[in-house]
Amino acid sequence: MADARRRTDVDAALADAWRAHWSHVVALLVGQFASPDLAEDGAADAFEAAARTWPVDGVPTSPGAWLLTAARRRVLDRLRTQAVHRRKEPLMVVDARVRELAAAAVDPGAHVADDQLRLVLACCHPALAPADRVALTLRFVVGLGTADIARLQLVQHTAMSARLTRAKKRLATSGIPFAVPPSDRLDERLDTVATVLYLVFTAGYQPAEAPGGLRVDLAHEAIRLTRELDRLLGGRPGLRALLALMLLQHSRRDTRLDADGRIVLLPDQDRSRWHAHEIAEGLALVRALPPLEGLAEDHRLQALVAAEHASAATAADTRWDVVAGLYAALERRTGSPVVRLARAVAVAEGVGPEAGLALLDGLDDVLAHHHRLPAVRGELLLRAGRADEAVAELGRALALVPDTAERTHLAERLAVARAAAVAGAGADAVSP
């Protein structure tokens, strides 16, 4: 019994250490050795070593310091091995050179104090394709797995794996400096960094196999980094729009799941538990912004949508016509099928399910592997009294959804649709 409890405690400590220290360890290693691959490998080796030794020796007093020390040793060992193979020199000479290199390493981002923010800025080099920058950052900074990154960017797992491999090879072979840009060139990476930060935030609210069903720590970190970047750059309107969007969405964190980990939809959430100070800050930020351009305007429009929800005293008070109009403006700007999906939900709430269903036409090809399209269509079909069709769509959504809280929610809705279909068939059988 004691051994089982000890193993459980160690597993929990390892999970906590992964969430709290992965990105910090990788960031420090990249800053010291200027090699993202070595940094990631060193961090991974350190966590593997922890999984082997902590059950025997116990969890260290300072897990982060233990992991950083172990990771540095792994990187130095790899550099030492590479140097020996390349130069065929005596080990003592190689050791001296490698350790001198490590000791003499300069901080390439001294004007950016935050380790994680330095790593985000380094990953967002303009010589990399935009999608590659995002994927690298989510991998190195947050430590998300390939499958999680693929879901966030709406691509297949195999495509994302190839994208990450391609980006790493380009960094290794092209001579791209994996470093923070000079202070007068930070603006060049601002849009990509904003995109990454919002994806990190979104990852926190993607239902996951984690304590509580969410990764709220990721959302906290995204907000913290956005504040830090806003402070560093002196208050850019685009960052203020992003911060407003995050705060308004983050304010609902305690009501998104019930005590059993089931999803609670927005209309059913207890608004008295929303964080009023974050809503007040978010509303003040977005209402002070004029229309913007580019990605900043996209974030402003999304923040205005969040503001409509946050400022409605009850779900019934939501101005769905305003929400639908904001989504229509955002769709015109982006052409995003996901925005169309959100617009369809808003239109259905304000006008009726058939009007929402009409907006879903044409999305099947572009969202072929995304569970939310059949989920939304199934829900609207159910509301429209077309239960048999709803069963088919919700069943398709259930086959596509990852094994998370969303799966439980869809299974419950499918059961409701099946019951409605049976009731409808019975009514037809007894009708004259």
Side-chain angles (χ1 to χ4, degrees), residues 133-167:
R133 300 174 214 165
V134 172
L136 279 179
T137 308
L138 292 173
R139 179 68 193 134
F140 288 140
V141 180
V142 185
L144 289 184
T146 304
D148 291 327
I149 300 172
R151 281 199 298 273
L152 279 172
Q153 295 200 273
L154 303 181
V155 300
Q156 292 295 290
H157 182 281
T158 52
M160 181 53 63
S161 180
R163 179 179 295 173
L164 285 166
T165 300
R166 181 181 66 244

Side-chain angles (χ1 to χ4, degrees), residues 13 45 57 69 104 133 181 187 197 226 241 248 256 278 288 299 302 345 348 365 379 382 389-390 392 396 402 408 428:
D45 288 348
D57 299 338
T69 299
R133 300 174 214 165
D187 276 345
L197 291 177
T226 302
L248 291 168
R256 290 172 178 262
E278 292 171 352
H299 287 155
Q302 291 176 73
V345 172
D365 289 341
E379 186 65 37
L382 184 57
E389 296 171 79
R396 189 159 69 90
T408 300
D428 290 341

Side-chain angles (χ1 to χ4, degrees), residues 13-39:
L14 284 167
D16 288 342
W18 177 270
R19 288 191 292 272
H21 302 299
W22 166 269
S23 63
H24 183 67
V25 169
V26 172
L28 290 175
L29 293 177
V30 169
Q32 184 172 12
F33 299 104
S35 171
D37 266 346
L38 277 176

Side-chain angles (χ1 to χ4, degrees), residues 304-319:
L304 287 172
V305 169
E308 287 296 320
H309 293 303
S311 58
T314 68
D317 295 324
T318 304
R319 299 189 300 174

